[in-house]
Amino acid sequence: MDLRDFYLLAALIACLRLDSAIAQELIYTIREELPENVPIGNIPKDLNISHINAATGTSASLVYRLVSKAGDAPLVKVSSSTGEIFTTSNRIDREKLCAGASYAEENECFFELEVVILPNDFFRLIKIKIIVKDTNDNAPMFPSPVINISIPENTLINSRFPIPSATDPDTGFNGVQHYELLNGQSVFGLDIVETPEGEKWPQLIVQQNLDREQKDTYVMKIKVEDGGTPQKSSTAILQVTVSDVNDNRPVFKEGQVEVHIPENAPVGTSVIQLHATDADIGSNAEIRYMFGAQVAPATKRLFALNNTTGLITVQRSLDREETAIHKVTVLASDGSSTPARATVTINVTDVNDNPPNIDLRYIISPINGTVYLSEKDPVNTKIALITVSDKDTDVNGKVICFIEREVPFHLKAVYDNQYLLETSSLLDYEGTKEFSFKIVASDSGKPSLNQTALVRVKLEDENDNPPIFNQPVIELSVSENNRRGLYLTTISATDEDSGKNADIVYQLGPNASFFDLDRKTGVLTASRVFNREEQERFIFTVTARDNGTPPLQSQAAVIVTVLDENDNSPKFTHNHFQFFVSENLPKYSTVGVITVTDEDAGENKAVTLSILNDNENFVLDPYSGVIKSNVSFDREQQSSYTFDVKATDGGQPPRSSTAKVTINVMDVNDNSPVVISPPSNTSFKLVPLSAIPGSVVAEVFAVDIDTGMNAELKYTIVSGNNKGLFRIDPVTGNITLEEKPAPTDVGLHRLVVNISDLGYPKALHTLVLVFLYVNDTAGNASYIYDLIRRTMETPLDRNIGDSSQPYQNEDYLTIMIAIVAGAMVVIVVIFVTVLVRCRHASRFKAAQRSKQGAEWMSPNQENKQNKKKKRKKRKSPKSSLLNFVTIEESKPDDAVHEPINGTISLPAELEEQSIGRFDWGPAPPTTFKPNSPDLAKHYKSASPQPAFHLKPDTPVSVKKHHVIQELPLDNTFVGGCDTLSKRSSTSSDHFSASECSSQGGFKTKGPLHTRQVNEHLYWSISTAYKCPVNQY
């Protein structure tokens, strides 16, 4: 199958598919000869076409356009806005419009027209058929105004002779309806015979005998009338000649003959041979053939009849498309008055001798034969209505229509022989500006005949292409410190449109204040001096806009990178760096980091550091700026170091700057508080009953040889104030009276005061005992000292008032006994008896301890250099208790009621042996003051309640504070197991007990009730003390 056959097949399929959605048909019936502007119909009303857009609900403006061929005189017109159809000034003449036998026979005459509805979104093709009804505007007419008939004289009565029929262009009832014989003289009459085709043939009837010798000629009139209103008629002269007798007339073998002959039969081709016979003889038997009077002149021109043989031949070329059927009446006459009649029907058969006809009627009016379309026209834009036809019939008249080549147009079949030429895709002016193609109509005959119609379409440019940049992202680089007006680049864009639609102007977008752009040429220049340190990169847009309507535009991104020059020196973050390090920091430790910046980039930013004037005490990393120590720090020898640092960049030429560095050696918290007042753990203060609340009743004062926060002290009463009678100032250490003493408060009060520094990373602590004797006088000092000595047997987390021993003075007991009833005498006796027995037991235990023996050391004064050495030695667990004497504090929910949990723990090595027999190794000489009480005796008491618990030394938690004993035995108490580590304010001598009784370990856990503070104190102590008692 070649390309042509493929197109034929495609067009045939398209012809069979009718688009009913856009093609509709209307039929109207009108009378001929109507005047102008007579309404025929209303298209939107008759087809129920709505002017409302169903999608948007808005009213649409529809345009109705009559599709007519150029040069045609339209018989009707269509209102473009309303769709109404009216007659025009061109009168509709049915007889002229439908001239031909076919229309007369079918009794229907019509013409067709097409109307399109625009715009394209509402497009419809309306095919309108207008049937023209006949009006009686024509009178019937005889073929000739004088009709001659010859009748033999021996004609029998009632014999009939045909009279040529009259014709009327009108049809139906308006045609020939009636014949009338005028002035028949009663010799002749008239009869009308109606043929099967509906024709009325008049016949003359002989009513009397004729005698040629008496009268040989009769002249009459014959009248013909139609049935129209008003009725029309005409007359003709009928002349009858009486001839001599010829007894027999010719007879045809067949009165009705039908033949077929192709339209391409050559001239001279025989159509039919007619044959008639006559019974007469001689001259009366000589037959002559002739056409009847009803044969049309055109038929006589096409066919020839041989007078003697009766042979009908073709004498001119036939054309079926002009006349397909010819009816010929042939008369055979032997000279008599009554010839024989035969009717020959000649059917001209079709031959594919007519190419198809293409009727191209434009919907879009062409200009000089060219249709102009906009490239923005949508798909399926209607261009023309194409009607194809073929005068041939059957297969020869079957026409297919197609476009010769591939173009963005197609034919859409709307009726069997009509197509719409539409756009099949979007048009692009930039792709193809003009189209010239042929529409081919081809029939199916053998051989096939074709007809073509040339269509020219030119596109009008629309501004549908925005300018396009050669590069969507334009990257540039320029050195800083440039000159103003420096040329950077030329920005270029192209537009595929033409004319003014392709004229481009350029415009800078925002953030482009440092640049200038020529609107026409696109030349980009620098309008300012760049400083990379202020802005390293500029990102902005450039807009290219054409001059179309509406204008289109596009944008390109411009990235301008400013290149660095070495125009900035390195800059230190500080002109003077100060770092603080601990005095015990090891050698080669990091002491600080020097930070320096350079606003330049690349090699210009690469900075190298160096030390200018240091005696190799420090090492500086030239790239990271890390300073490490090259010496061991000793704050007492040198408290600070100062040197200069130089920073040099890698630029050409290089730039540099300097900064000062100071290393400050910081103190560490390695000294615990030293108690100055009270001078001894056995001294007391008298608090008279007349003392008023708020008065200072005692002072606690301690010092810390550290500096800063390590020397800041805090004073706290941790035990002995269960009644809340006293209060200590946490800053000054002054103990004041909280409320006026009552008689029930008379007696000895022991306050355990904790002195803690605020050191970091751990605080150090010292405990001191403050004894207050509430009474008006202190006349019996020995009794008070005896009470103080006996309080040593009471654990520190218990109040001395909780013991079963009475510590009140005898006068008070006497007053109390006198107040109670005599019945209390027995109770007093029992109480005295218990007291005596307890004292006896106490002496017995003292005797046991004296057998075991203990070594005590008294403080010795040494110089400051020895103090530093012994401070380092103190870190050994065998020579000091710095690492295992702790107090644990936990904060309660209530800030006022703060429980205090204390734990004094032994180092692990002390528990590896029995406590009473631990070998301390070499110990300093033991010295005792004459009046120092034996504190160890108290802590070795066989109390039934275990108040202390020995445990190995464990790591200190975050909230533990080391309790460090700094006072000698005669003025400071520190809890420990078998030994004490003490240091006075002026010396660093150690005091230690040589052994500890295994029976002295017990643990106490319980709340201490006070008037203002609820304290919970947990101690772990197993140590014996002998402390002198002094009053201060």
Side-chain angles (χ1 to χ4, degrees):
M1 179 182 291
D2 57 10
L3 181 61
R4 179 177 175 277
D5 292 336
F6 175 77
Y7 282 134
L8 291 176
L9 179 60
L12 179 60
I13 295 174
C15 289
L16 296 176
R17 296 178 63 241
L18 302 180
D19 193 342
S20 61
I22 65 171
Q24 293 176 291
E25 186 172 358
L26 285 175
I27 300 177
Y28 296 103
T29 301
I30 63 173
R31 291 284 177 182
E32 64 175 330
E33 302 293 339
L34 293 177
E36 188 179 2
N37 293 328
V38 174
I40 298 174
N42 188 308
I43 295 176
K45 181 179 179 181
D46 297 337
L47 291 179
N48 195 23
I49 296 175
S50 175
H51 286 228
I52 303 300
N53 191 327
T56 62
T58 59
S59 178
S61 179
L62 302 184
V63 177
Y64 300 85
R65 182 176 297 172
L66 178 65
V67 180
S68 60
K69 193 174 182 179
D72 286 349
L75 299 178
V76 295
K77 59 183 179 181
V78 179
S79 173
S80 62
S81 59
T82 64
E84 292 180 286
I85 306 173
F86 300 93
T87 58
T88 66
S89 60
N90 299 314
R91 294 295 182 96
I92 301 174
D93 186 357
R94 179 187 175 282
E95 290 72 32
K96 182 179 179 181
L97 181 67
C98 300
S102 60
Y103 288 103
E105 291 172 359
E106 295 175 3
N107 197 29
E108 184 177 90
C109 177
F110 65 91
F111 65 95
E112 294 178 330
L113 55 94
E114 290 82 16
V115 175
V116 293
I117 302 178
L118 302 174
N120 195 57
D121 294 342
F122 294 85
F123 180 84
R124 292 191 187 185
L125 174 62
I126 312 301
K127 188 169 186 179
I128 300 175
K129 180 179 181 181
I130 298 179
I131 300 174
V132 181
K133 291 297 184 178
D134 183 44
T135 59
N136 193 23
D137 56 344
N138 293 282
M141 298 296 292
F142 287 99
S144 175
V146 177
I147 302 172
N148 291 308
I149 298 176
S150 177
I151 300 176
E153 60 180 335
N154 60 348
T155 300
L156 300 178
I157 296 175
N158 293 329
S159 297
R160 298 173 182 269
F161 294 89
I163 300 174
S165 301
T167 59
D168 193 332
D170 296 328
T171 60
F173 203 68
N174 293 327
V176 175
Q177 297 296 324
H178 179 67
Y179 288 91
E180 184 181 357
L181 184 63
L182 302 178
N183 192 21
Q185 304 173 20
S186 70
V187 178
F188 300 96
L190 189 64
D191 188 19
I192 298 175
V193 178
E194 188 170 354
T195 65
E197 292 80 8
E199 295 182 1
K200 293 179 173 62
W201 288 359
Q203 292 183 343
L204 185 65
I205 303 174
V206 178
Q207 296 178 345
Q208 294 179 8
N209 292 322
L210 300 178
D211 186 355
R212 186 184 68 83
E213 289 70 25
Q214 290 182 3
K215 190 174 184 177
D216 60 355
T217 303
Y218 294 88
V219 178
M220 298 168 286
K221 285 186 179 181
I222 185 170
K223 180 181 181 182
V224 63
E225 295 177 340
D226 61 21
T229 302
Q231 190 179 57
K232 291 182 180 293
S233 64
S234 66
T235 61
I237 295 174
L238 178 62
Q239 182 173 325
V240 178
T241 301
V242 179
S243 65
D244 193 20
V245 174
N246 188 358
D247 297 341
N248 297 288
R249 67 175 184 171
V251 176
F252 283 102
K253 291 182 179 180
E254 296 177 352
Q256 298 286 337
V257 180
E258 185 173 358
V259 296
H260 294 80
I261 185 170
E263 62 177 330
N264 61 349
V267 176
T269 301
S270 297
V271 178
I272 191 172
Q273 175 71 58
L274 298 176
H275 184 70
T277 61
D278 194 325
D280 294 326
I281 61 173
S283 62
N284 290 332
E286 293 179 1
I287 301 175
R288 296 181 64 84
Y289 299 93
M290 65 190 72
F291 288 119
Q294 294 83 2
V295 177
T299 303
K300 293 179 180 181
R301 288 192 296 269
L302 294 176
F303 301 97
L305 177 62
N306 190 297
N307 294 334
T308 59
T309 63
L311 177 64
I312 300 177
T313 59
V314 177
Q315 68 176 0
R316 288 191 180 185
S317 298
L318 304 178
D319 188 357
R320 189 207 63 83
E321 291 72 33
E322 184 176 344
T323 306
I325 300 174
H326 299 271
K327 288 187 179 183
V328 179
T329 302
V330 179
L331 302 178
S333 175
D334 60 359
S336 65
S337 60
T338 307
R341 182 192 297 262
T343 301
V344 180
T345 302
I346 303 174
N347 295 298
V348 181
T349 59
D350 186 47
V351 175
N352 192 25
D353 59 344
N354 291 283
N357 179 58
I358 299 177
D359 182 14
L360 183 62
R361 287 178 284 178
Y362 288 99
I363 297 174
I364 298 177
S365 299
I367 301 175
N368 296 326
T370 301
V371 176
Y372 288 85
L373 295 178
S374 172
E375 64 175 329
K376 71 178 180 179
D377 284 340
V379 178
N380 298 327
T381 296
K382 280 51 178 190
I383 300 174
L385 177 65
I386 299 171
T387 303
V388 294
S389 61
D390 196 318
K391 294 181 179 180
D392 297 323
T393 61
D394 299 329
V395 176
N396 296 332
K398 192 67 176 179
V399 181
I400 57 175
C401 190
F402 57 90
I403 298 176
E404 187 178 41
R405 64 187 182 89
E406 189 69 23
V407 288
F409 305 94
H410 69 267
L411 297 175
K412 177 182 288 186
V414 289
Y415 292 102
D416 289 340
N417 63 339
Q418 285 188 320
Y419 302 87
L420 280 173
L421 177 61
E422 300 177 334
T423 58
S424 59
S425 62
L426 293 176
L427 305 176
D428 188 6
Y429 174 85
E430 291 70 32
T432 304
K433 298 179 176 61
E434 182 177 356
F435 297 92
S436 179
F437 56 92
K438 291 181 180 180
I439 296 175
V440 180
S442 177
D443 61 24
S444 301
K446 297 296 183 179
S448 176
L449 299 179
N450 300 324
Q451 181 71 14
T452 60
L454 182 63
V455 178
R456 291 186 178 91
V457 177
K458 286 187 178 180
L459 299 186
E460 296 176 343
D461 184 36
E462 296 290 339
N463 192 27
D464 57 345
N465 290 282
I468 302 298
F469 285 93
N470 298 333
Q471 293 177 299
V473 178
I474 303 171
E475 296 188 10
L476 307 173
S477 60
V478 58
S479 298
E480 62 178 335
N481 304 318
N482 59 291
R483 62 177 178 83
R484 297 177 184 270
L486 177 67
Y487 170 81
L488 299 179
T489 189
T490 298
I491 297 174
S492 176
T494 59
D495 196 318
E496 294 183 355
D497 294 323
S498 61
K500 69 174 184 178
N501 295 334
D503 293 339
I504 300 175
V505 294
Y506 301 92
Q507 183 178 357
L508 287 174
N511 304 322
S513 58
F514 280 69
F515 304 91
D516 288 330
L517 180 65
D518 190 284
R519 291 175 57 85
K520 292 294 184 181
T521 64
V523 173
L524 182 68
T525 56
S527 61
R528 300 187 188 181
V529 178
F530 300 123
N531 186 351
R532 192 204 64 82
E533 288 72 34
E534 293 181 358
Q535 188 166 351
E536 182 178 3
R537 177 175 292 181
F538 295 87
I539 300 177
F540 55 91
T541 58
V542 173
T543 301
R545 181 183 294 105
D546 60 27
N547 287 328
T549 304
L552 299 179
Q553 65 182 29
S554 61
Q555 291 183 337
V558 181
I559 302 175
V560 179
T561 302
V562 182
L563 302 180
D564 184 55
E565 291 185 354
N566 192 24
D567 54 351
N568 291 279
S569 300
K571 183 181 294 183
F572 289 94
T573 57
H574 299 84
N575 294 329
H576 186 189
F577 292 88
Q578 295 200 39
F579 302 105
F580 297 85
V581 297
S582 301
E583 60 179 326
N584 58 357
L585 192 69
K587 192 176 182 181
Y588 303 119
S589 298
T590 300
V591 299
V593 178
I594 298 297
T595 53
V596 62
T597 60
D598 195 316
E599 294 182 352
D600 294 322
E603 291 296 328
N604 299 330
K605 188 178 182 179
V607 177
T608 303
L609 297 171
S610 60
I611 297 178
L612 294 179
N613 52 359
D614 180 59
N615 296 328
E616 298 184 353
N617 293 327
F618 300 91
V619 177
L620 175 63
D621 190 296
Y623 304 107
S624 66
V626 175
I627 302 176
K628 294 188 176 181
S629 62
N630 201 25
V631 295
S632 298
F633 296 108
D634 188 347
R635 187 181 65 85
E636 286 72 25
Q637 293 183 4
Q638 186 171 350
S639 61
S640 65
Y641 299 84
T642 301
F643 54 89
D644 292 330
V645 175
K646 181 180 180 181
T648 305
D649 62 24
Q652 294 297 330
R655 291 174 173 267
S656 62
S657 59
T658 60
K660 179 181 288 186
V661 179
T662 299
I663 309 297
N664 299 291
V665 182
M666 302 300 297
D667 184 38
V668 297
N669 190 26
D670 54 357
N671 295 281
S672 59
V674 177
V675 179
I676 303 300
S677 176
S680 171
N681 277 328
T682 59
S683 60
F684 70 92
K685 279 286 189 177
L686 177 65
V687 180
L689 292 173
S690 60
I692 62 175
S695 59
V696 178
V697 296
E699 294 180 355
V700 177
F701 178 70
V703 296
D704 195 318
I705 62 174
D706 292 323
T707 61
M709 296 301 294
N710 297 333
E712 294 290 334
L713 302 181
K714 178 182 179 181
Y715 301 89
T716 308
I717 298 176
V718 298
S719 179
N721 192 27
N722 63 325
K723 295 183 179 182
L725 189 61
F726 304 100
R727 178 182 179 276
I728 188 169
D729 190 296
V731 178
T732 63
N734 292 338
I735 300 175
T736 58
L737 194 62
E738 190 71 10
E739 61 183 33
K740 185 174 180 61
T744 57
D745 297 327
V746 174
L748 184 64
H749 296 262
R750 182 188 66 183
L751 303 180
V752 180
V753 178
N754 177 52
I755 308 172
S756 173
D757 61 24
L758 302 181
Y760 179 82
K762 59 182 179 179
L764 302 181
H765 309 262
T766 298
L767 292 177
V768 63
L769 299 181
V770 178
F771 291 95
L772 298 175
Y773 187 71
V774 179
N775 201 4
D776 287 333
T777 62
N780 190 355
S782 59
Y783 170 72
I784 297 174
Y785 288 135
D786 184 59
L787 291 177
I788 292 173
R789 180 182 59 79
R790 283 183 289 173
T791 61
M792 296 303 176
E793 299 179 0
T794 303
L796 295 181
D797 61 342
R798 294 177 58 187
N799 293 301
I800 57 176
D802 297 338
S803 174
S804 60
Q805 300 179 12
Y807 298 123
Q808 290 81 5
N809 56 53
E810 293 179 357
D811 295 337
Y812 180 75
L813 292 176
T814 303
I815 296 172
M816 293 299 295
I817 293 172
I819 295 174
V820 299
M824 294 300 295
V825 175
V826 177
I827 298 175
V828 174
V829 173
I830 295 174
F831 180 82
V832 173
T833 303
V834 173
L835 179 61
V836 172
R837 295 186 64 181
C838 288
R839 289 182 177 179
H840 183 270
S842 179
R843 292 191 187 97
F844 178 75
K845 293 177 180 179
Q848 293 290 335
R849 287 193 296 271
S850 63
K851 293 179 181 181
Q852 296 176 358
E855 295 181 354
W856 297 88
M857 295 177 291
S858 60
N860 295 324
Q861 302 292 330
E862 294 183 3
N863 56 26
K864 189 173 183 180
Q865 287 116 4
N866 292 337
K867 174 184 177 182
K868 293 181 179 179
K869 295 179 181 180
K870 291 186 179 182
R871 183 181 305 169
K872 297 179 180 179
K873 183 178 180 181
R874 186 183 55 185
K875 297 179 181 179
S876 173
K878 293 185 179 182
S879 61
S880 69
L881 299 179
L882 292 176
N883 292 330
F884 70 90
V885 182
T886 63
I887 294 178
E888 296 181 6
E889 293 184 6
S890 63
K891 296 182 179 180
D893 295 337
D894 191 353
V896 179
H897 300 80
E898 179 181 356
I900 302 176
N901 301 329
T903 301
I904 301 179
S905 305
L906 288 177
E909 57 267 24
L910 294 184
E911 291 189 349
E912 294 177 356
Q913 306 178 24
S914 63
I915 296 177
R917 296 177 178 80
F918 184 83
D919 186 10
W920 285 92
T926 305
T927 58
F928 300 93
K929 289 189 177 182
N931 56 350
S932 296
D934 187 4
L935 296 181
K937 178 180 178 181
H938 161 66
Y939 292 107
K940 295 179 181 178
S941 172
S943 173
Q945 298 178 353
F948 301 92
H949 176 68
L950 298 178
K951 64 179 181 180
D953 187 23
T954 58
V956 181
S957 63
V958 178
K959 292 188 177 182
K960 287 186 178 182
H961 308 280
H962 282 237
V963 178
I964 304 174
Q965 172 61 18
E966 295 286 349
L967 297 181
L969 276 175
D970 59 348
N971 69 346
T972 306
F973 165 76
V974 179
C977 179
D978 292 333
T979 181
L980 293 173
S981 176
K982 301 181 179 181
R983 185 187 309 161
S984 66
S985 60
T986 58
S987 66
S988 59
D989 294 340
H990 296 277
F991 298 85
S992 62
S994 60
E995 62 182 16
C996 176
S997 173
S998 62
Q999 299 176 352
F1002 58 89
K1003 182 177 180 180
T1004 300
K1005 181 177 180 181
L1008 301 178
H1009 301 286
T1010 65
R1011 295 182 182 180
Q1012 294 181 350
V1013 181
N1014 290 332
E1015 300 177 353
H1016 297 274
L1017 192 60
Y1018 300 85
W1019 297 93
S1020 180
I1021 304 175
S1022 180
T1023 305
Y1025 297 93
K1026 291 183 180 180
C1027 301
V1029 178
N1030 297 321
Q1031 183 178 8
Y1032 64 95

